[in-house]
C-alpha cells in the first residue's frame, strides 16, 4: 500500500467504493471545512467473480438498533465464541453452526480480504423476472419494423421462464392477452383517461374477486397458471414466444388518421400508467421491468407534453425558463407519481426513446431515475445505436446469468462518529430512520435505506456522510471509522442475495494533521461527487447559481488546500492529488450537464441521468472526455483535451461517453481521400486508420448505452462534437498565438482553461475573498 | 242470409212486417230488405239517402254528396229503428231494432244494427221488390225488397252475402245508374235486373252499395216509402240505400264507381227496368235498394221476409212504429243501446218524414247515397221515442212482451252480419279497383291498402308512399274542425313497390343542384307553373316566382308546359330522386358509404339459447350476402363491423390483410370509445376470410361464458363512436338478451309491475325510467347512427326504456321471447335478413312543405326533431312510416287545390347524398259532404292509433279510450248532422267511406298495444306501442283488424288466397281450420271436429290431438293440400314486414283464449266491447251529441 492512489484503487477493486476523503477529519467542524463533502461512490454490484459463494444467512448484531453484519473488522473472541460489533460494540455470541470456529478455521465473513461478501438467501422464493413491453405504434413504418425485429430477437435472449407482456399504444392503449388462439385478443383503453390500479384491475378482469373462467380455458391443466392472476397478460416466454412473435409481426402502425399539420395522438402517459397499474396489482414487490419504446412525444391525456398541433413546438429550455410550458408541470407530476408507484412496488421503468424531435424525456425522467431504469435516447429505432443498446440490456455475465438485478435495497450503517446525510443515484428513499441518519441532507436523506429497483454492475450511488464527532472530543476509539453497506437484491436467477461491504478509514485531527487528510483526497471521486451534487442542484436551481456555487467551492478548496502566498497568484501550487481537480471543474462547468444552451431539455435530462447512474470512470469520461491521438510519430497516446491537440497529421479519438468521435486531421484526411490506404505500399497508413476504429470498437463493445459513433475529419460538419469539447486554448480571439503547426482554432467566446486557472489562482490567493 | 236476417229481424220484423206487408208490400219487402237492406243501407246508406235523396235523388247529383258520405248507422242503431225509422230507412228501422237487440242480446246496438238492416231492408226491400219486380209501383218495390231479403242473408257479409244477391247487383247497377244518374231510371232498371239475378249480383252490389249509397238512399227512401205506403218513396229509399249509394257516389263523384256499378248494375238495371217504371228518382233509388234488397228478395216476398220484415215491418208500419219502435227497443235497445236505438225507433217518425223526404232524398239519395251507406242502423226513430218514453228496461220488457220470441232474439243478438263488414268492403274494393291506379287526378282517393292495385305515377306520388286521411280538403279550418276528421298524411318514404312499378328515377342537376323555390325552398315538381316564357316558375306552395337557372331553361309549348316536361322526371312524376350537392351534406363533406355494425350479446343466456352460435353460423352467408346495394352496383358498398359484449365490449379487427382476426376488449364502460378504426369497418368482399375465421371463433371463445350481467348503454355509445370516428352513417344491429343491470352508463333497474297496466299508473311503466337512452338516441341521430334492436329476453328487459333509442333513431325493434335457436332461429334470421336487405336511407332529414294556408303541425313516428320542421331519422327502411298532422293556418282556395311535398334528404346505401321527393295534390272543398266522400279510413285509423300511443303516456287509459270514442262519435255525428238527410236521431248513419270507423276504432281501443292490461307483459305492451308508432297503413290495417282465412276447404287449384272472414268466433266452425294473421303473428286454429283426412294430409297424424303444437312449422307433406297450405303461409309471410311466427291452436286448448284475443269483433278478455256493443255505444254517443 505504497501510495494513497494504490490504496484507493485497491479499495475500489475490492469493495467498489471510492471516498472523496480517505482519511477522515475527526470533528464535525473540521469536516465542514473540507469544502468537498465526505462522501463516496458506491457500486453495489461491482463485478466480483472471485467472491466465494456463501449459501447461508449473514450473522447480525443482536442489538435491535444496530443489526450490523459480522465483518472482518469485528473483534472475535474465539474461545467464548463471541464477536464484538464494530459499530455498536455489542458482544454477540456466534450461532450454533459456528461452533467449529477457531483462529485457524475462520468463516469467510471474518477474513480481512472479504470486506465485501455476498450471501445467497436460499429459502427465499424464486420468482422469474417480468418484462412488460410498452410499445408505441405511432412511428414510421421502418422504425416500427426495426423495433419489432429487435423485440422479436430479444425474446430469444430472455430466460425461458421469464414472464413477458405486451402493451401497445397510439391513440388508444392496448393490453394484449398472450397465448390466445384463433383470435388475438387485447384490452383497449382510451388514451386520454388516467386510471388507478383498481380500475385497471377491474377492467382487465384481474381483480381478486374476478374469476376468469371464460378466458382461462387452459387453466385447469395448468394450476400454476391459475395462481397467477395476470397470466393472460404476462406469460412465460417459453409458452408464448411463438404467438408473441406473430403478434409483433402483425402489429400495425396506429391506424388513426393523422391530419395534416398534426402530430399523431400518442398516449404515452396512459400506456405507462396502465403498465404500472397492471404490474402493481399482479406482481407487487417482484422484479419487473416496464420497457417503454416511444417514437415521439405524448400528445394527449395525462402526461401529454405537447399538443397535437405541429405549429406548437415542444418546449425548450428557453420556454422552461420563461415558465412558458403549458403541459410540463402537469406531465411531470403524472410521471413522477407513476415513478413513485413503480418504485414502491419494486418495478423498473426503462425509457427507449428514438426520435428526431424530443419525446418528453424531460418529463418522464423520473421513471428511470426513481426505479433505476435505463434511459436511451436515439434518432431512430432503425439504427445500430438502438439495436445494439437494446441487445445489451440483456447482456449476461460469465456464468451466463443476466447482469441485471432487481428489487435492491441499500442500507448504510456507520460507526457512531459518522452519520449518513443522503444518497444520489437511481434510487428512492425507504424512509428508514436509524441511529446513523444525519440531520443534514445532501441528496435523498433522512433515511439509512434506499431502494434501487434495478441494479447493474455499473450502477453507482453517491453517498454523503457527516462527521458528528464534536470538535474537542478525542479521536474515536481504535482510530478508525466504519461504514457498512448492506445491499439486498433479487438476482436475475430469482435468488435473493445480500452483499455486504464494510470499510474502515482512519481518523485524523484536521487541526493538527491536515496534510494527512489532504493526502487522502481522491480528486476523481471528489469531482464526480461534486458533479452529482451540481446536477442535483441544477434540477431545481437556476443554472448560473449552480455555476457560482461550483466556482465558490473550487476557490475555497484551493484556498484551503493550495500552497500559495497571499495575493500572489503566481505562487499558487497544488499537490499532486489535487492537481487535476480544477481541470475537472473547468470541464464540468462547460459540460452539457450544466450548460443547457444548444441542448434540448430531453438531452439535458438524458445526460444528467447518465451522470447520476454511472460509475466513477465513466462519469469522469463524461465530465472530461478522453482524447487519444494516433499518428506516425509514435504509438497512440492520450493527449490534452485542448484545441492544440487538433493537428493535421493526427487521427484523434475522443470518447465523451455519449459519443465516440474519430477525427482525421487535414493531412490524414487528404491522404485518405486520395485512397492511399488502399495501396499496398501504404499498408501502414491503413493500419493507422484502422487503429482508432479498433479502439473505438472496444469501447463500443462495453458501453451502455451505445455511444453515438462519429467518424469525421478536418472541416467536417461533425467535427463540432470534438470542437465543442476541447479546451478552447486557441480561438479567433487569440489567433496570433497560433497559426503555426499546432492546433485548430475554436470559434468561441468561452474562456480557456488557462484563463480559468489564472483567475482561479488569483481568487484563491486573494486575501479579500 | 235471408235466413239470418229474418232470424234477427226477420221475426220481429216479421210481425212488424206482417203489418207492414199488409200496408204495402213495400213494407214487407222493406223489412226484409231492411235486413238485407240494412246491409244495403249500411253499404250504401241508401236508407238515409233515400229519404233525403230520394227526393233529391231525382235531383240526384245535388243530394248525392251528403248521402254519399254517410252511412247511417243511426238506422242500425235504432236498430233498425232505422228501418222503422225507415225514417231513413223507414220501415226498415222498425225491423232493425228488432235485430239490433238480438245481436248483442241485450244491447240495443244490436238492435240498432238490426234496425239498420231493417232500414236497409226497407229501403232495399221496397226498392228491391218494387223496383225490380214491380218496377215503379210500390208494390214492385216491395217485391224487390223481398228479393232483397233473400240477398241480405247472403249479405251476411254485407256485400258478399246480402249485398251480392240483390244488393250486389243493384249497387253495381246502381253504380252505373249513378253515372247514368240521369238515367236513374235506367239505373233503376239495373237494380231490378239485379234483383232478378239478385243473389249473385247482390254480393257485389252491396259494396257498390257502399259507394252507391246514393242509390241506397233511394232504397232507403223506398224503404220508408214502403212504410209510407208509397211505393216510390219507399222504393227510393230502401234501394237507394243500398244501391244508390254506390252508384251515387260513383255517378256523381266517382267515375270509377259508376263504372263498377254499371257492370253489375247492367244486369240489374234491366231488372230495374221495372224500377224505372217506379219513378225515376225513387225508382232508381229503388233500383239500388233492390240490390240490397237482395236479401229481401231472398226474403222472397213478404212472407219469407216476414221474419225479417216483421221487424222492419213494425217499424215500417207507421202505426206500428211506435209499437215496433218499442218492440225494437225492447229487443235491441233493451239495455243501453236500446236507447239509442229506441231513439232510432223514434226515428219512426222519420219514417214518416222519410217518406216525405224520401222522395226528395231520393233525388238527393242519388247523390247522398254514397256517403250514407249504411247508416241507418238503429236510427229508428221509433225507438228513440220509445226510449224517451220508457225506461230502457221497460222497453225491453215491453218489447219483450210484445214480441216475445223475436224480441228476445233480437235483444240477444244483433246480427253481426248486418253491421258494416270490413271483409265486404275490402272485397269490394279489391274487386273494383285491382287494376291500375293512375295518379294524374288531383285528390283521387286511392284504392284500399288491401287491394292489389298497381300505380302509374302521373304527377302525384303513389299511395304507397303517401296516403292522406282525406283527399278533399276543406278550404277553411272551421269545416275541418267541425268534422273532427284529422288531416293527416302517412308517409312511407321508401315503401316497397310492386315489381311492375318503377322506382322513383334519379335526376341529376349536376353542379347546379336541385332547383328550388327561392322563398319557401320547395323543390321543383310537376305542379310548378312556368311563366314568362319559361324563364320563371311560380311556386305552387307559396306563390313566389323564381327565375329558372339558365342551365335549366326550356321553352313552353302552347299549353304553357315546358317542352321537355315529359323528359324530366321532376316535371311529370309525383316521386323522384335528385342528386344532392355538397351543400346538402353534413359539414359540406360528401358522405362515405354507410356501415352496419353487428353487436352480439355473448352472455350466458345468449350462448345457451343458441343465439350466438346461430348468428355466427349464418350471419355471413345468409345475411350479409343480402347487404343492400345501389341499383346496378356489383357489390354492396356497405361496410360491416363486428362487436360482442357482455360486461365489457369486444371489437374485432377483421382487416383483410390479417392472418387472424384481432379482438379488442374495451372495459372502460364509464367512458366508452371505439378502439380501432382501420380494420373495424370493412367491405365484406375484402375481408371475407378473416370474417369467416372470426365468426367461427366467437362461439368458441364464449362457449363457457358465465356472464349474466350485461351492459347496453356503452355498447350503443361505442357503436356510435365507431360510426362517428369513421365519419359514416349507418346502423347498429344489437342482439341483446336481458336487462342491462351491470354497473355502467345506461344501467336499468327492474321495475316491472304488470298489475299497473291498464290503470292510471301505467304510464309510469310505459315511459322510460330515465332519459339516458333518449339522450343517447339524440346523439345517435345527430351522427346518423340508427339502432336496430333484436331482443331475446327471458324476462323483463324494460322495452319502454330501451325502445327510446330505437324510437329516436328510427330503428326497429324485434323481440323473441324465450328464444331458442332451433325453434325461433329461422324467424329471427328471416327478420334480420329482411332488415339488412331493406335498409334504404341513412342520415335522413325529412321535411314537409304544404300550400300556403295549411302547414304541418305535428309528426308521429320513430324519429327525432330538433326543431319544429325537420324530422331527423338516422335510417329509414321500406316499412317505416311517419305521420304528419296538418292544420290550417289560413284558407285554401277551391280553385287552386292544395299541395304537399315531402322532401327526404338522405344518404343512399351506396353512400351518395340524395333527395327523394313525393308530391301530392288535393282538392279543396267548401262542402262537408265533399270532405266526407273522399276520406281514407285506413289512414285515419293509422293516425288514430298513433295519436293514442302518444296519449298513453300523457293521460290515462280511460281517457285514451274515451278520446277515440269521442272523436269517432263527433265525426259521425258531424256527418249525420251536416251531410245526411234529416232523419230520426235514432238512425245510425255512417259515411260510406267511414262505415267501418266504429269497428276499426274499437279495434284500436282494444288493441294490446293501446289498451293492454295485465294479461300481457309490460314489455309486450311497450313493444307493440313501439311497433304501432311507425306502422305504415298497410301494416296497421291488418294489425288492428287481423286477417282470418278459412283453410279447411282450401282450393288447391287456385293461386289466390281464400277469402277472408270476419274476426269473430261465431264465424269459426268446429270442423274448420283457420289461419289468422295480423302482420306480427300467425295462428292456425284447428277445430275439434276437423276432418281427420285434412289433419292427415297436413300434419301426417291421425287426429288433431296428435298434432305437435310446439312446432312452429308445418310439415311438408307430399299432397296438394299441404303444399297449398305452405304456399299460402309463404305468401302471407312475403307480404308482411316481419316473419310471422306460426302458432298452432287447437280448439279448446289453453292457447285458444289467446287466439280469441285476436277475434276483434268479439268481446275481449279484458272486458273490451264487442263490435256490436261498441257500435251501439257510439250510436248513443252520436245521439247525445246531436241532441
Amino acid at each position: 500500500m505504497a501510495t494513497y492512489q494504490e490504496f484507493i484503487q485497491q479499495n475500489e477493486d475490492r469493495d467498489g467504493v471510492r471516498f472523496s476523503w480517505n482519511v477522515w477529519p475527526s470533528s464535525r467542524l473540521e469536516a465542514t471545512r473540507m469544502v468537498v463533502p465526505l462522501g463516496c461512490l458506491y457500486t453495489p454490484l461491482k463485478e466480483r467473480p472471485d467472491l466465494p459463494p456463501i449459501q447461508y444467512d449473514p450473522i447480525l448484531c443482536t442489538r435491535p438498533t444496530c443489526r450490523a453484519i459480522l465483518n472482518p473488522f469485528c473483534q472475535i473472541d474465539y474461545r467464548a465464541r463471541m464477536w464484538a460489533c464494530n459499530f455498536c460494540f455489542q458482544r454477540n455470541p456466534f450461532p450454533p453452526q459456528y461452533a467449529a470456529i477457531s483462529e485457524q478455521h475462520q468463516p469467510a465473513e471474518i477474513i480481512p480480504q472479504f470486506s465485501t461478501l455476498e450471501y445467497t438467501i436460499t429459502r427465499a422464493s424464486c420468482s422469474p423476472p417480468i418484462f412488460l413491453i410498452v410499445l408505441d405504434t405511432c412511428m414510421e413504418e421502418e422504425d416500427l419494423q426495426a423495433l419489432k425485429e429487435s423485440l422479436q430477437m430479444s425474446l430469444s435472449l430472455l430466460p425461458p421462464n421469464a414472464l413477458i407482456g405486451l402493451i401497445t399504444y397510439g391513440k388508444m392503449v392496448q393490453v394484449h392477452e398472450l397465448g390466445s388462439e384463433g383470435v388475438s385478443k387485447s384490452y383497449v383503453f382510451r388514451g386520454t383517461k388516467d386510471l388507478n390500479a383498481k380500475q385497471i384491475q377491474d377492467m382487465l378482469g384481474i381483480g381478486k374477486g374476478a374469476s376468469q373462467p371464460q378466458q382461462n380455458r387452459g387453466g385447469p391443466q395448468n394450476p400454476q397458471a391459475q395462481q397467477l392472476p395476470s397470466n393472460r397478460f404476462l406469460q412465460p416466454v417459453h409458452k408464448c414466444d411463438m404467438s408473441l412473435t406473430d403478434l409483433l409481426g402483425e402489429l400495425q402502425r396506429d391506424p388513426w388518421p393523422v391530419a395534416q399539420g398534426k402530430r399523431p395522438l400518442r398516449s404515452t402517459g396512459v400506456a405507462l400508467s396502465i403498465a404500472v397499474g397492471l404490474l402493481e396489482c399482479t406482481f407487487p414487490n417482484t422484479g419487473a421491468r416496464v420497457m417503454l419504446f416511444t417514437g415521439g412525444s405524448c400528445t394527449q391525456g395525462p402526461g401529454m407534453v405537447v399538443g397535437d398541433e405541429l405549429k406548437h413546438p415542444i418546449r425548450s429550455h428557453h420556454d422552461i425558463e420563461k415558465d412558458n410550458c403549458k403541459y410540463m408541470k402537469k406531465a411531470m407530476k403524472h410521471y413522477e407519481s407513476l415513478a413513485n408507484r413503480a418504485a414502491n412496488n419494486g418495478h423498473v421503468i426503462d425509457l427507449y426513446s428514438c426520435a428526431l424531435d424530443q419525446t418528453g424525456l424531460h418529463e418522464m425522467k423520473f421513471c428511470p431515475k426513481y426505479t433505476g431504469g435505463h434511459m436511451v435516447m436515439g434518432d431512430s429505432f432503425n439504427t445500430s445505436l438502438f439495436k445494439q443498446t437494446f441487445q445489451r440490456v440483456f447482456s449476461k455475465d460469465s456464468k451466463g446469468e443476466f447482469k441485471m438485478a432487481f428489487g435492491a435495497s441499500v442500507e448504510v450503517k456507520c460507526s457512531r462518529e459518522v452519520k449518513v446525510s443522503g444518497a444520489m443515484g437511481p434510487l428512492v428513499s425507504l424512509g428508514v430512520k436509524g441511529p446513523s441518519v444525519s440531520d443534514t441532507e445532501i441528496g435523498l436523506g433522512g433515511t439509512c435505506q434506499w431502494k434501487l429497483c434495478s441494479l447493474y454492475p455499473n450502477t453507482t450511488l453517491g453517498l454523503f456522510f457527516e462527521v458528528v464527532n464534536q470538535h474537542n472530543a478525542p479521536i474515536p476509539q481504535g482510530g478508525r471509522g466504519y461504514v457498512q453497506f448492506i445491499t439486498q437484491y433479487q438476482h436475475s436467477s430469482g435468488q435473493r442475495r445480500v452483499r455486504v461491504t464494510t470499510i474502515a478509514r482512519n481518523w485524523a485531527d484536521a487541526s493538527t494533521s491536515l496534510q494527512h487528510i489532504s493526502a487522502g483526497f481522491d480528486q476523481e471521486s471528489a469531482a464526480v461527487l461534486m458533479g452529482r451534487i451540481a446536477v442535483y442542484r441544477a434540477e431545481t436551481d437556476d443554472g448560473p447559481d449552480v455555476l457560482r456555487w461550483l466556482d465558490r467551492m473550487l476557490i475555497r478548496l484551493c484556498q484551503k488546500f493550495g500552497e500559495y502566498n497571499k495575493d500572489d497568484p503566481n505562487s499558487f501550487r497544488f499537490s499532486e492529488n489535487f492537481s487535476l481537480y480544477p481541470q475537472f471543474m473547468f470541464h464540468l462547468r462547460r459540460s452539457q450537464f450544466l450548460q443547457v444552451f444548444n441542448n434540448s431539455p430531453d438531452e439535458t435530462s438524458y445526460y444528467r441521468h447518465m451522470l447520476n447512474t454511472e460509475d466513477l470512470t465513466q462519469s469522469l469520461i463524461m465530465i472530461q472526455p478522453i482524447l487519444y491521438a494516433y499518428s506516425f510519430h509514435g504509438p497512440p497516446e492520450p493527449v490534452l483535451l485542448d484545441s492544440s491537440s487538433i493537428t493535421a497529421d493526427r487521427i484523434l479519438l475522443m470518447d465523451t461517453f455519449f459519443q465516440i468521435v474519430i477525427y482525421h486531421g487535414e493531412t490524414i484526411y487528404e491522404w485518405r481521400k486520395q485512397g492511399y490506404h488502399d495501396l499496398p505500399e501504404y499498408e501502414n497508413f491503413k493500419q493507422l486508420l484502422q487503429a482508432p476504429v479498433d479502439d473505438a470498437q472496444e469501447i463500443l463493445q462495453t458501453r451502455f448505452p451505445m455511444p453515438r459513433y462519429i467518424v469525421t475529419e478536418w472541416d467536417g460538419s461533425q467535427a463540432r462534437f470534438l470542437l465543442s469539447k476541447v479546451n478552447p486554448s486557441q480561438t479567433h480571439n487569440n489567433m496570433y498565438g497560433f497559426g503555426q503547426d499546432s492546433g485548430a482554432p475554436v470559434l468561441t467566446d468561452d474562456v480557456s482553461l488557462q484563463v480559468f486557472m489564472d483567475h482561479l489562482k488569483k481568487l484563491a490567493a486573494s486575501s479579500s475573498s | 242470409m235471408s235466413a239470418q236476417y229474418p232470424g234477427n229481424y226477420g221475426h220481429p220484423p216479421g210481425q212488424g212486417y206482417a203489418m207492414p206487408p199488409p200496408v204495402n208490400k213495400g213494407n214487407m219487402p222493406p223489412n226484409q230488405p231492411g235486413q238485407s237492406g240494412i246491409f244495403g243501407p249500411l253499404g250504401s246508406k241508401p236508407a238515409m239517402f233515400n229519404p233525403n235523396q230520394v227526393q233529391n235523388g231525382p235531383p240526384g247529383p245535388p243530394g248525392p254528396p251528403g248521402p254519399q258520405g254517410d252511412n247511417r248507422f243511426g238506422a242500425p242503431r235504432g236498430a233498425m229503428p232505422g228501418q222503422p225509422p225507415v225514417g231513413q230507412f223507414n220501415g226498415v228501422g222498425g225491423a232493425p231494432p228488432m235485430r239490433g237487440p238480438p245481436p248483442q242480446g241485450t244491447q240495443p246496438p244490436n238492435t240498432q244494427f238490426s234496425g239498420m238492416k231493417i232500414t236497409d231492408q226497407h229501403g232495399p226491400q221496397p226498392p228491391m221488390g218494387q223496383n225490380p219486380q214491380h218496377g215503379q209501383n210500390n208494390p214492385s218495390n216491395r217485391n224487390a225488397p223481398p228479393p232483397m231479403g233473400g240477398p241480405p242473408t247472403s249479405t251476411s257479409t254485407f256485400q258478399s252475402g246480402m249485398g251480392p244477391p240483390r244488393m250486389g247487383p243493384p249497387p253495381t247497377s246502381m253504380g252505373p245508374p249513378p253515372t247514368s244518374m240521369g238515367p236513374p231510371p235506367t239505373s233503376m232498371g239495373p237494380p231490378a235486373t239485379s234483383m232478378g239475378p239478385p243473389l249473385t249480383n247482390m254480393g257485389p252490389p252491396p259494396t257498390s252499395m257502399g259507394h252507391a249509397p246514393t242509390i241506397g238512399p233511394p232504397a232507403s227512401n223506398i224503404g220508408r216509402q214502403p212504410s209510407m205506403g208509397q211505393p216510390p218513396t219507399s222504393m227510393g229509399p230502401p234501394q237507394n240505400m243500398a244501391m244508390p249509394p254506390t252508384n251515387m257516389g260513383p255517378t256523381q263523384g266517382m267515375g270509377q264507381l259508376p263504372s263498377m256499378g254499371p257492370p253489375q248494375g247492367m244486369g240489374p238495371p234491366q231488372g230495374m227496368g221495372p224500377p224505372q217504371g217506379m219513378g225515376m228518382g225513387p225508382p232508381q233509388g229503388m233500383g239500388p235498394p233492390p240490390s240490397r234488397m237482395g236479401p229481401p228478395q231472398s226474403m222472397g216476398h213478404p212472407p219469407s221476409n216476414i221474419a225479417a220484415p216483421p221487424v222492419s215491418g213494425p217499424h215500417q208500419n207507421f202505426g206500428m212504429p211506435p209499437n215496433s219502435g218499442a218492440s225494437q227497443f225492447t229487443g235491441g235497445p233493451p239495455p243501453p243501446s236500446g236507447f239509442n236505438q229506441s231513439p232510432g225507433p223514434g226515428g219512426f217518425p222519420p219514417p214518416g218524414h222519410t217518406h216525405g223526404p224520401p222522395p226528395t232524398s231520393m233525388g238527393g239519395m242519388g247523390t247522398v247515397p254514397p256517403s250514407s251507406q249504411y247508416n241507418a242502423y238503429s236510427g229508428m226513430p221509433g225507438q228513440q221515442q220509445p226510449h224517451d218514453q220508457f225506461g230502457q228496461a221497460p222497453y225491453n220488457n215491453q218489447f219483450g212482451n210484445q214480441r216475445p220470441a223475436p224480441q228476445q232474439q233480437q235483444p240477444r243478438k244483433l246480427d253481426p252480419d248486418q253491421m258494416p263488414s270490413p271483409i265486404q268492403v275490402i272485397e269490394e274494393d279489391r274487386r273494383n279497383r285491382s287494376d291500375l291506379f293512375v295518379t294524374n287526378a288531383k285528390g283521387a282517393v286511392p284504392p284500399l291498402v288491401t287491394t292489389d292495385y298497381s300505380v302509374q305515377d302521373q304527377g302525384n306520388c303513389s299511395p304507397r308512399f303517401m296516403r292522406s286521411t282525406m283527399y278533399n280538403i276543406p278550404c277553411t279550418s272551421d269545416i275541418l274542425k267541425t268534422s273532427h276528421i284529422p288531416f293527416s298524411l302517412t308517409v312511407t318514404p321508401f315503401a316497397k313497390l310492386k315489381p311492375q312499378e318503377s322506382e322513383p328515377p334519379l335526376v341529376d342537376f349536376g353542379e347546379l343542384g336541385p332547383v328550388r323555390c327561392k322563398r319557401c325552398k320547395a323543390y321543383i315538381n310537376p305542379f310548378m307553373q312556368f311563366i314568362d316564357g319559361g324563364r320563371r316558375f311560380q311556386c305552387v306552395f307559396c306563390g313566389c316566382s323564381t327565375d329558372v337557372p339558365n342551365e335549366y331553361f326550356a321553352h313552353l309549348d302552347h299549353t304553357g308546359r315546358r317542352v321537355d316536361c315529359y323528359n324530366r322526371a321532376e316535371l311529370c312524376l309525383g316521386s323522384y330522386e335528385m342528386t344532392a350537392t355538397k351543400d346538402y351534406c353534413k359539414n359540406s363533406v360528401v358522405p362515405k358509404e354507410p356501415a352496419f355494425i353487428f353487436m352480439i350479446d355473448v352472455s350466458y343466456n345468449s350462448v345457451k339459447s343458441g343465439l350466438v352460435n346461430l348468428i355466427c353460423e349464418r350471419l355471413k352467408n345468409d345475411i350479409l350476402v343480402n347487404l343492400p346495394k345501389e341499383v346496378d352496383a356489383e357489390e354492396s358498398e356497405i361496410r360491416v363491423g363486428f362487436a360482442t359484449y357482455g360486461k365489457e365490449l369486444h371489437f374485432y379487427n377483421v382487416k383483410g390483410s390479417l392472418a387472424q382476426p384481432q379482438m379488442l376488449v374495451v372495459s372502460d364502460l364509464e367512458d366508452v370509445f371505439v378502439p380501432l378504426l382501420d380494420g373495424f369497418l370493412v367491405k365484406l368482399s375484402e375481408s371475407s376470410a378473416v370474417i369467416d375465421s372470426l365468426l367461427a371463433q366467437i362461439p368458441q371463445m364464449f362457449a363457457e361464458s358465465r356472464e349474466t350481467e350485461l351492459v347496453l348503454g356503452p355498447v350503443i355509445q361505442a357503436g356510435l363512436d365507431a360510426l362517428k370516428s369513421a365519419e359514416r352513417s349507418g346502423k347498429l344491429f344489437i342482439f341483446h338478451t336481458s336487462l342491462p343491470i351491470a354497473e355502467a352508463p345506461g344501467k336499468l333497474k327492474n321495475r316491472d309491475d304488470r298489475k299497473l297496466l291498464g290503470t292510471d299508473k301505467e304510464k309510469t311503466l310505459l315511459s322510460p325510467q330515465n332519459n339516458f337512452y333518449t339522450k343517447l338516441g339524440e346523439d345517435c341521430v345527430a351522427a346518423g347512427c340508427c339502432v336496430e334492436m333484436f331482443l331475446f329476453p327471458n324476462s323483463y328487459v324494460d322495452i319502454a326504456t330501451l325502445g327510446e333509442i330505437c324510437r329516436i333513431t328510427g330503428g326497429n325493434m324485434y323481440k323473441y321471447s324465450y328464444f331458442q335457436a332451433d325453434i325461433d332461429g329461422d324467424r329471427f334470421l328471416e327478420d334480420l335478413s329482411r332488415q339488412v336487405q331493406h335498409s334504404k336511407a341513412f342520415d335522413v332529414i325529412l321535411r314537409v312543405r304544404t300550400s300556403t294556408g295549411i302547414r304541418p303541425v305535428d309528426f308521429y313516428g320513430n324519429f327525432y326533431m330538433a326543431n319544429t320542421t325537420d324530422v331527423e331519422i338516422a335510417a329509414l327502411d321500406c316499412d317505416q312510416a311517419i305521420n304528419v298532422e296538418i292544420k290550417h293556418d289560413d284558407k285554401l282556395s277551391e280553385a287552386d287545390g292544395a299541395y304537399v311535398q315531402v322532401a327526404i334528404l338522405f344518404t343512399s346505401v351506396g353512400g351518395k347524398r340524395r333527395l327523394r321527393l313525393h308530391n301530392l295534390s288535393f282538392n279543396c272543398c267548401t262542402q262537408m259532404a265533399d270532405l266526407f266522400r273522399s276520406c281514407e279510413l285506413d289512414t285515419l285509423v293509422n293516425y288514430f292509433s298513433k295519436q293514442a300511443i302518444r296519449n298513453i303516456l300523457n293521460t290515462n287509459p280511460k281517457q285514451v279510450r274515451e278520446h277515440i270514442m269521442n272523436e269517432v262519435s263527433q265525426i259521425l255525428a258531424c256527418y249525420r248532422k251536416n251531410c245526411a238527410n234529416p232523419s230520426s236521431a235514432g238512425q245510425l248513419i255512417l259515411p260510406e267511406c267511414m262505415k267501418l270507423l266504429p269497428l276499426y276504432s274499437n279495434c284500436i281501443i282494444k288493441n294490446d298495444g293501446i289498451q293492454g292490461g295485465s294479461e300481457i307483459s309490460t314489455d309486450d305492451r311497450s313493444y307493440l306501442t313501439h311497433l304501432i308508432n311507425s306502422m305504415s297503413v298497410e301494416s296497421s290495417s291488418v294489425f288492428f283488424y287481423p286477417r282470418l282465412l278459412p283453410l279447411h276447404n282450401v282450393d288447391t287449384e287456385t293461386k289466390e288466397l281464400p277469402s277472408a272472414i270476419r274476426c269473430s268466433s261465431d264465424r269459426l266452425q268446429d270442423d274448420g281450420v283457420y289461419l289468422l294473421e295480423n302482420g306480427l303473428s300467425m295462428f292456425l286454429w284447428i277445430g275439434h271436429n276437423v276432418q281427420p283426412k285434412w289433419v292427415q294430409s297436413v300434419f301426417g297424424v291421425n287426429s288433431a290431438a296428435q298434432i305437435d303444437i310446439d312446432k312452429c312449422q308445418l310439415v311438408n307433406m307430399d299432397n296438394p293440400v299441404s303444399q297449398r297450405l305452405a304456399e299460402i303461409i309463404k305468401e302471407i309471410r312475403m307480404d308482411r314486414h316481419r316473419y310471422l311466427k306460426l302458432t298452432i291452436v287447437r280448439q279448446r286448448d289453453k292457447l285458444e283464449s289467446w287466439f280469441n284475443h285476436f277475434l276483434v269483433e268479439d268481446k275481449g278478455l279484458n272486458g273490451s266491447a264487442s263490435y256490436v256493443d261498441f257500435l251501439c255505444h257510439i250510436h248513443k254517443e252520436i245521439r247525445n251529441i246531436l241532441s
Side-chain angles (χ1 to χ4, degrees), chain A residues 134 167 173 193-197 200 267-280 290 302 334-335 337-338 341 349:
Chain A
V134 182
I167 294 176
V173 179
K193 186 174 168 188
D194 200 8
L195 301 166
N196 61 36
I200 291 170
S267 325
T268 320
V270 171
L272 206 51
S273 167
I274 288 170
V276 169
L278 171 61
L279 291 174
E280 189 173 48
V290 174
H334 174 75
Y335 292 112
S337 81
L338 283 184
R341 276 166 59 190
I349 302 175

Side-chain angles (χ1 to χ4, degrees), chain A residues 172 174 181-190 193 195 203-204 213-215 217 250 252 255-257, chain B residues 648 653 655 658-668 670-678 697 701 725:
Chain A
M172 307 286 171
Q174 280 174 257
E181 290 159 15
V183 173
S184 55
K185 188 171 172 185
S186 58
Y187 283 70
V188 189
F189 298 83
R190 174 166 257 171
K193 186 174 168 188
L195 301 166
M203 290 180 187
L204 292 179
Q214 70 217 47
Q215 289 86 355
R217 275 171 292 116
E250 286 222 326
Q252 303 165 351
W256 297 88
Chain B
E648 55 196 13
N653 184 346
K655 196 173 176 176
L658 292 177
Q660 62 178 33
Q662 294 174 352
M663 173 184 186
L664 300 164
V665 184
V666 172
S667 37
D668 182 359
E670 284 308 314
D671 186 18
V672 82
F673 58 95
V674 64
L676 78 170
L677 199 55
D678 190 28
Q697 288 288 334
M701 280 191 290
S725 309

